[in-house]
């Protein structure tokens, strides 16, 4: 399996890559990636990992940690990785769906997560927009811990479907912990994509491209769900800025010490 350059951001091993490169990796290394998981990380998950050693281990044990949040790719570029690009989960999904439609790639996609309403809308939208996309299943699990029997049944259905890619939309940190717990049990490569289900289902509108390019997608989402996201974004974004500035100072001090 191909190794990617890594930029360590607050202890999280963020890959330096791009959507085309990740899409190519999946095509070329699918058999090696089966049973493994890929984290799609942002400012929020990076701060959570910084504060929770167990969650940090979940992130860093992934086959790849992709920079979903644009600040992660910006920081990587500022630290010398000129090729760092944002790899947003919804965009990666769209790229693979488009490739399936255009080039008739044969990956089977399974969707696990989201609300019952979202998963129904997602199935309908994908069939309308990508009629040649091979889908293996659409499941909205209960919003509670599954019993051992229910979990075994969920894994059985995924594996018997012949899925190659398992999109997990349980929200962070639940989806990353779920993937880690099912590493080696699921025969597909698992990707946690958070709100990607809602965006592709059309149940949540995504920020305009100019806001995405300006790292303001969080603000657009905040305006959509202020009650749920205000505290999270205000607290997490400010903490991330403070922690990264402190880390940058340490890195500069270490660089100057090593060059004397």
């Amino acid at each position: 399996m191909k190794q990617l350059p890594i930029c360590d951001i607050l202890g999280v091993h963020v890959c330096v890559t791009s959507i085309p490169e990740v899409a190519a990796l999946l095509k070329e290394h699918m058999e090696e990636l089966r049973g493994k998981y890929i984290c799609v990380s942002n400012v929020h998950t990076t701060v959570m990992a910084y504060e929770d050693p167990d969650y940090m281990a979940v992130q860093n044990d992934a086959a790849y940690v992709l920079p979903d949040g644009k600040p992660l790719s910006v920081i990587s570029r500022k630290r010398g990785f000129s090729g760092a690009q944002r790899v947003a989960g919804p965009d990666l999904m769209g790229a693979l769906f488009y490739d399936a439609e255009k080039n008739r790639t044969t990956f089977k996609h399974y969707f696990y997560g989201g609300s019952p309403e979202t998963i129904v809308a997602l199935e309908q939208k994908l069939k309308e927009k990508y009629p040649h996309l091979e889908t293996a299943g659409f499941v909205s699990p209960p919003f509670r811990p599954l019993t051992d029997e229910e979990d075994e049944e969920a894994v059985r259905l995924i594996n018997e479907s012949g899925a190659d890619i398992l999109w997990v939309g349980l929200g962070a940190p639940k989806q990353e912990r779920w993937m880690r717990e099912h590493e080696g049990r699921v025969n597909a490569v698992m990707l946690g994509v958070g709100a990607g289900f809602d965006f592709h289902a059309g149940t949540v509108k995504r920020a305009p491209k100019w806001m995405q390019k300006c790292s303001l997608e969080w603000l657009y989402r905040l305006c959509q769900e202020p009650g749920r996201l205000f505290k999270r974004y205000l607290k997490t974004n400010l903490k991330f800025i403070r922690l990264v500035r402190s880390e940058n100072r340490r890195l500069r001090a270490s660089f100057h010490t090593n060059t004397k």
Side-chain angles (χ1 to χ4, degrees):
M1 188 171 67
K2 181 178 179 180
Q3 298 298 311
L4 296 174
I6 296 296
C7 181
D8 189 301
I9 301 176
L10 302 183
V12 178
H13 302 162
V14 180
C15 291
V16 177
T17 186
S18 64
I19 286 177
E21 182 172 35
V22 174
L25 280 174
L26 290 170
K27 287 183 180 180
E28 296 167 13
H29 300 281
M30 176 56 69
E31 295 309 312
E32 298 168 77
L33 287 167
R34 288 187 185 279
K36 297 181 172 61
Y37 65 97
I38 295 173
C39 291
V40 182
S41 300
N42 54 30
V43 166
H44 180 57
T45 61
T46 303
V47 171
M48 280 197 295
Y50 178 84
E51 297 178 330
D52 183 344
D54 289 335
Y55 187 54
M56 177 76 77
V58 169
Q59 289 272 334
N60 288 338
D61 283 348
Y64 301 111
V65 179
L66 307 179
D68 176 89
K70 187 171 182 180
L72 300 185
S73 57
V74 170
I75 290 169
S76 296
R77 288 197 296 273
K78 288 184 176 179
R79 293 183 180 177
F81 295 96
S82 60
Q85 297 182 29
R86 184 186 184 193
V87 184
D91 294 337
L92 178 60
M93 294 173 78
L96 291 172
F97 298 161
Y98 176 78
D99 185 63
E101 189 65 22
K102 182 181 178 181
N103 300 317
R104 303 293 195 270
T105 50
T106 57
F107 287 154
K108 287 187 177 180
H109 300 257
Y110 197 106
F111 302 85
Y112 185 84
S115 68
E117 297 77 18
T118 295
I119 208 73
V120 168
L122 178 65
E123 182 174 7
Q124 181 179 348
K125 290 283 187 179
L126 292 183
K127 286 181 178 178
E128 291 173 358
K129 190 172 182 179
Y130 307 101
H132 295 99
L133 179 71
E134 286 200 58
T135 58
F138 293 83
V139 175
S140 173
F143 288 101
R144 59 167 172 77
L146 300 185
T147 65
D148 290 344
E149 292 75 16
E150 288 173 327
D151 186 63
E152 289 176 6
E153 177 66 6
V155 171
R156 183 186 69 80
L157 290 174
I158 293 168
N159 290 340
E160 288 186 357
S161 75
D164 299 297
I165 298 175
L166 173 61
W167 300 101
V168 184
L170 300 175
K174 183 178 179 180
Q175 64 194 16
E176 289 80 25
R177 296 189 189 281
W178 188 93
M179 293 190 296
R180 169 71 176 274
E181 290 168 1
H182 291 78
E183 186 175 19
R185 293 178 57 198
V186 169
N187 295 336
V189 56
M190 298 170 277
L191 289 99
V193 289
F197 283 30
D198 293 298
F199 293 145
H200 282 280
T203 52
V204 174
K205 189 176 180 181
R206 197 169 178 200
K209 289 291 185 183
W210 71 266
M211 294 190 80
Q212 296 178 39
K213 291 179 180 178
C214 296
S215 300
L216 291 174
E217 190 164 9
W218 67 271
L219 180 60
Y220 189 86
R221 291 200 64 201
L222 177 61
C223 293
Q224 291 177 309
E225 301 180 78
R228 185 175 75 87
L229 297 176
F230 179 77
K231 185 176 180 181
R232 166 181 149 181
Y233 281 144
L234 179 66
K235 180 180 178 181
T236 303
N237 288 6
L238 291 176
K239 184 176 289 186
F240 179 79
I241 292 170
R242 175 174 57 81
L243 289 170
V244 168
R245 283 179 175 173
S246 178
E247 185 172 67
N248 286 341
R249 286 194 294 269
R250 291 196 301 272
L251 289 172
R252 285 194 296 269
S254 176
F255 175 78
H256 290 313
T257 299
N258 292 332
T259 54
K260 286 183 179 179

